[in-house]
Amino acid sequence: NFYIGTIAPDAVNLNGFAEKSIRWAAHKRAKNLDEWKQNIIGFYDQEKNNFKEDYLLGYVVHVLTDIVVDELYYQDGLYEDIVKNRTSEDKAFGFFKNQIQVYENSQLNEDWWKDVKEKLKSAEAYEINNITKSEIYGWKDKVLDDYNKKIYEPYDYVTPDILNTCFNRVLNFGDGAKN
């Protein structure tokens, strides 16, 4: 259930890219990254006894990953590096989003993805943060269908090093989250 929790925040996009206010509410988002962190910590603290399995943990990991990716892009130099070495300022964010997709495509044949895909198929969804079970199940089906249509390609700009940095920051988030 961890895996379906990790995709739940994006389920609001089931019928197309949702309005900003809907997407932000689904992610407990705030413009200020420190405020966003406090929003998701508060949500976790409030809800931690209301969900079984690791569903809530998956949901929170998704949001924390989004926060960390924003930090890497906006604060830790990825934007500047992309503009300096890859594309123009107005195309930088589109390039970065595309490179995240390229990395996803590079993982299609990996054993870990095959395992996740099988577990995701039978995962149980729960309403969370006003995102309905039916939206989450629909999103799960869409995600699995979309991945079945993807074609392998080797990663380019987004590398395992970037992913490991992101992973370690999410994993160690609680160490500095309340500071």
Side-chain angles (χ1 to χ4, degrees), residues 2 19 41 45-46 50 56 89 91 104 109 121 123-124 141 157 164 175 178:
F2 173 84
E19 308 176 11
I41 291 167
D45 287 343
Q46 175 186 339
N50 296 330
L56 178 63
E89 290 179 11
K91 294 181 181 177
E104 288 179 12
N109 298 323
K121 287 178 184 177
E124 188 173 351
D141 293 342
Y157 185 80
N164 284 331
D175 295 341
K178 298 200 179 191

Side-chain angles (χ1 to χ4, degrees), residues 16-162:
F17 200 53
E19 308 176 11
K20 180 179 176 179
S21 62
I22 294 170
R23 293 189 323 272
W24 280 41
H27 289 75
K28 295 297 202 183
R29 190 168 179 132
K31 187 172 186 171
N32 177 285
L33 294 180
D34 290 330
E35 182 181 342
W36 191 8
K37 290 174 188 177
Q38 292 311 309
N39 288 349
I40 196 60
I41 291 167
F43 181 74
Y44 176 79
D45 287 343
Q46 175 186 339
E47 298 293 332
K48 63 185 170 189
N49 296 318
N50 296 330
F51 292 94
K52 63 180 184 176
E53 310 284 328
D54 290 325
Y55 185 73
L56 178 63
L57 183 60
Y59 179 91
V60 170
V61 163
H62 173 115
V63 175
L64 291 175
T65 300
D66 285 354
I67 293 169
V68 168
V69 168
D70 275 11
E71 287 176 338
L72 291 170
Y73 182 77
Y74 293 108
Q75 297 175 351
D76 294 356
L78 288 183
Y79 168 78
E80 289 83 3
D81 183 65
I82 290 168
V83 170
K84 180 180 177 187
N85 297 306
R86 295 295 185 111
T87 192
S88 63
E89 290 179 11
D90 61 320
K91 294 181 181 177
F93 189 71
F95 171 82
F96 184 58
K97 282 179 59 175
N98 175 265
Q99 286 298 303
I100 291 170
Q101 295 297 313
V102 169
Y103 189 86
E104 288 179 12
N105 294 345
S106 78
Q107 300 299 296
L108 294 173
N109 298 323
E110 299 297 322
D111 288 340
W112 76 264
W113 168 242
K114 294 172 187 172
D115 182 55
V116 168
K117 186 168 54 171
E118 287 307 308
K119 289 178 178 169
L120 187 57
K121 287 178 184 177
S122 62
E124 188 173 351
Y126 306 92
E127 181 174 326
I128 189 166
N129 192 23
N130 295 320
I131 306 166
T132 67
K133 285 172 55 171
S134 64
E135 286 176 307
I136 297 166
Y137 281 126
W139 186 249
K140 175 189 79 164
D141 293 342
K142 181 178 181 341
V143 166
L144 290 170
D145 186 55
D146 288 350
Y147 271 88
N148 283 335
K149 295 175 185 171
K150 289 182 176 227
I151 298 171
Y152 171 85
E153 61 184 311
Y155 60 81
D156 178 28
Y157 185 80
V158 174
T159 64
D161 287 342
I162 291 173

